[in-house]
Amino acid sequence: MSAAARKVRASVVGATGYAGAEAIRLLAAHPLVTLVSIHGRERDGVPLAAEFPHLAPLGLTLRSGVPEPGEADVVFLALPSGASAATAERLVAGGALVIDIGADFRLRDERLHHAWYGEAPRPQTLAAEAVYGLTERARDRLPGARLVANPGCYPTAALLALAPFAATGLLADGPIVDAKSGVSGAGRTAARGYGFSELDASVSAYGLDGHRHAPEIEQGLADAGATGCGVTFVPHLVPMARGLLATCYLNLTDEMETAALRAVLAEAYPGEPFVHVLDAPPATKLASGTNHAFLSAARSGPRRAVITCAIDNLGKGAAGQAVQNMNVALGLPETAGLAALGVVP
Ligand SMILES: NC(=O)c1ccc[n+]([C@@H]2O[C@H](COP(=O)([O-])OP(=O)(O)OC[C@H]3O[C@@H](n4cnc5c(N)ncnc54)[C@H](OP(=O)(O)O)[C@@H]3O)[C@@H](O)[C@H]2O)c1
């Protein structure tokens, strides 16, 4: 029986974290999915409502470990880097499609992966077959995939903005990606410096001496055709719970007016259900709680342009795109379970 002929059985591992909870929220409302199990370490028998009261209406209970072989058709892993690789290998061997929302399979270059994510081993053969799931650029490789490496939140926004220029030879050299994220991007575990008192009414940059999402953006630009294109990537924390804005500054190989820049984006995403080119620069709120990405483009000088992209870091930047990837990989309608529009104001 094909997966599309009956409901897809899905499990979420890392259900006590933000990305896992968002995956549960989306999958519970997905018309073609049954959520068969949710897993949190050392939480066997704990009601999900004890961790996330907003999900109390689902009446779900956490289990420890991972689903049994054959129990789930698809397993979403929402774990910190280094914690997914071995689990993914076991689950794939058991026949499940694995969608890793974490970073264990994103960087294809083994040396780069270990330089940024530590020496924890990852299964080579599986790493080689992982599909990097920026859905709009991976649609032909997703069907039949056994492992999807869901992109990072910053790379998703940056690559949606820049890949069309890389693919058309318009990107002259290394662009600057100046990006801002809501605090949920750092995960649920409170760390020093992430409390309300320190974050409220304040904005700061971080990772200036190198951030692990820079090589991921560079890998995506190379995939799109701009090989060897280095990127200056500066993330910022802003005092909001959700939302991510990437403001990308690029030098062009040609003189282009704003209308022509917008046309490059529009031609890259014709009829895309989740990528929208706007005339005015987008705000993060447009995407809040959704899988949508909003782009805009403007000329900023001779052969210079600014492209902005707004997403929800937990939506298109994590769980939303993970569900979109599941849909495409399993031959379901791509928009199934992802109908939500932004809540504005
Ligand atoms: N937050 C975002 O906007 C976002 C966007 C894109 C991708 N991601 C990626 O998604 C993954 C999860 O991020 P998150 O923001 O949801 O983090 P989070 O809120 O900190 O949640 C992490 C989850 O992993 C569990 N966990 C932690 N260490 C573990 C270990 N050693 N073994 C097994 N489970 C462990 C935690 O369980 P406990 O509750 O027991 O600690 C929790 O369920 C990360 O790889 C992150 O990079 C996050």
Side-chain angles (χ1 to χ4, degrees), residues 36-325:
V36 289
S37 65
I38 58 170
H39 302 261
R41 58 177 178 169
E42 296 160 26
R43 306 294 209 292
D44 213 24
V46 174
L48 179 61
E51 291 285 342
F52 290 111
H54 71 296
L55 298 177
L58 300 177
L60 298 173
T61 300
L62 290 154
R63 278 165 47 183
S64 57
V66 298
E68 300 298 326
E71 189 179 359
D73 302 307
V74 55
V75 182
F76 293 82
L77 298 181
L79 302 173
S81 52
S84 296
T87 304
E89 187 176 36
R90 254 187 300 141
L91 291 165
V92 167
L97 162 65
V98 172
I99 302 192
D100 184 14
I101 299 176
D104 281 5
F105 297 99
R106 289 186 199 148
L107 291 177
R108 285 191 300 273
D109 184 297
E110 202 59 20
R111 188 188 54 79
L112 266 184
H113 172 76
H114 290 301
W116 286 98
Y117 291 101
E119 289 307 317
R122 61 175 186 177
Q124 296 295 302
T125 317
L126 194 56
E129 74 167 81
V131 175
Y132 184 76
L134 186 66
T135 325
E136 287 70 20
R137 304 195 70 83
R139 219 172 251 128
D140 54 334
R141 282 170 288 123
L142 285 166
R146 301 197 303 164
L147 173 64
V148 177
N150 218 58
C153 47
Y154 286 122
T156 293
L159 291 171
L160 286 174
L162 293 172
F165 295 90
T168 48
L170 289 164
L171 200 56
D173 51 26
I176 295 168
V177 177
D178 174 0
K180 286 98 187 161
S181 173
V183 186
S184 63
R188 197 179 193 197
T189 310
R192 202 181 165 93
Y194 285 82
F196 178 83
S197 323
E198 293 189 36
L199 288 176
D200 184 47
S202 187
V203 177
S204 59
Y206 63 101
L208 294 185
D209 55 351
H211 188 286
R212 47 183 59 173
H213 282 175
E216 189 180 332
I217 296 169
E218 288 167 357
Q219 174 182 278
L221 290 178
D223 288 348
T227 309
C229 182
V231 65
T232 301
F233 170 58
V234 183
H236 298 72
L237 263 187
V238 298
M240 58 188 187
R242 283 174 182 250
L244 190 158
L245 181 72
T247 304
C248 306
Y249 306 88
L250 50 159
N251 290 318
L252 302 163
T253 54
D254 210 351
E255 178 62 26
M256 295 180 78
E257 295 302 322
T258 293
L261 294 163
R262 284 188 194 146
V264 170
L265 293 176
E267 281 162 24
Y269 302 113
E272 284 293 347
F274 297 115
V275 184
H276 315 279
V277 184
L278 304 182
D279 289 343
T284 55
K285 196 167 232 185
L286 311 188
S288 189
T290 82
N291 191 48
H292 292 287
F294 297 94
L295 292 162
S296 80
R299 179 185 186 276
S300 64
R303 296 192 178 193
R304 288 205 309 276
V306 182
I307 316 296
T308 59
C309 179
I311 61 171
D312 185 331
N313 55 295
L314 290 170
K316 183 67 175 166
Q321 183 153 245
V323 171
Q324 186 184 359
N325 283 328

